[in-house]
Amino acid sequence: MGVIDKITQLTENRFLSMYEVDGHNSKGHISHYMVASRAQHPDELKINTHKNTVDGVIIYALYGEKKDRVVLIRQYRYPIDQYVYELPAGLTEPGEDFHDGAARELHEETGLDFTPIHPDPMYEEARFTSVGLTDESVAIVYGYASGKTSDRFEEEAEEISVILADREECRRILKEELVSMNCAYSLYHFIEDDDPFRFLHAKDDH
């Protein structure tokens, strides 16, 4: 197991900061590791807290009377200089319940209202997004969206199109477009199951 020797904060940003982590492992190898984090101060890094707190949410929302469409966004992303299809997502506010954060973020990005469902907490546990690069951890919140789409609440820095995609469109997107990993994985299930949320209601027989 590795040992952390020193942490140096390299940048300070409202949304994402960089840290250099010096350490060594049981083989004696010395590492200088770069970590991106939502933490504003070294004391808040999960390296130090060892707590898997929720930094943000991903919203998996079904839409329509038959719940046969899924809410997607097509968003411009600077790291690849292209548009990518994603599930709506965002950061939670300090002290905010992540279900409330999901409703707020969905409304801001799409104009839609959101009714979360509350499955076994196992399905909503915070999971790491790309642990080789960052300590960011997010929860997937499941539920149903309603209302009309609008860009009224979209932030000025965002370039987002809202897509209420049926299964045929989801297949096309997966075959032809750039898609984030968590979105793609969710769409694999959406296109194959009449009730994409069936697994959330399954009883644990073990």
Side-chain angles (χ1 to χ4, degrees), residues 10-11 14 17 47 49 103 107 121 132 139 161 163 182-183 204-206:
L10 302 178
T11 66
R14 176 186 171 192
S17 296
I47 287 174
T49 67
H107 190 63
S161 299
I163 297 93
N182 57 64
C183 179
D204 187 353
D205 298 324
H206 303 287

Side-chain angles (χ1 to χ4, degrees), residues 149-163:
T149 61
S150 171
D151 62 1
R152 177 183 173 188
F153 307 100
E154 185 180 313
E155 293 182 11
E156 195 173 80
E158 295 176 322
E159 292 186 45
I160 294 175
S161 299
V162 182
I163 297 93

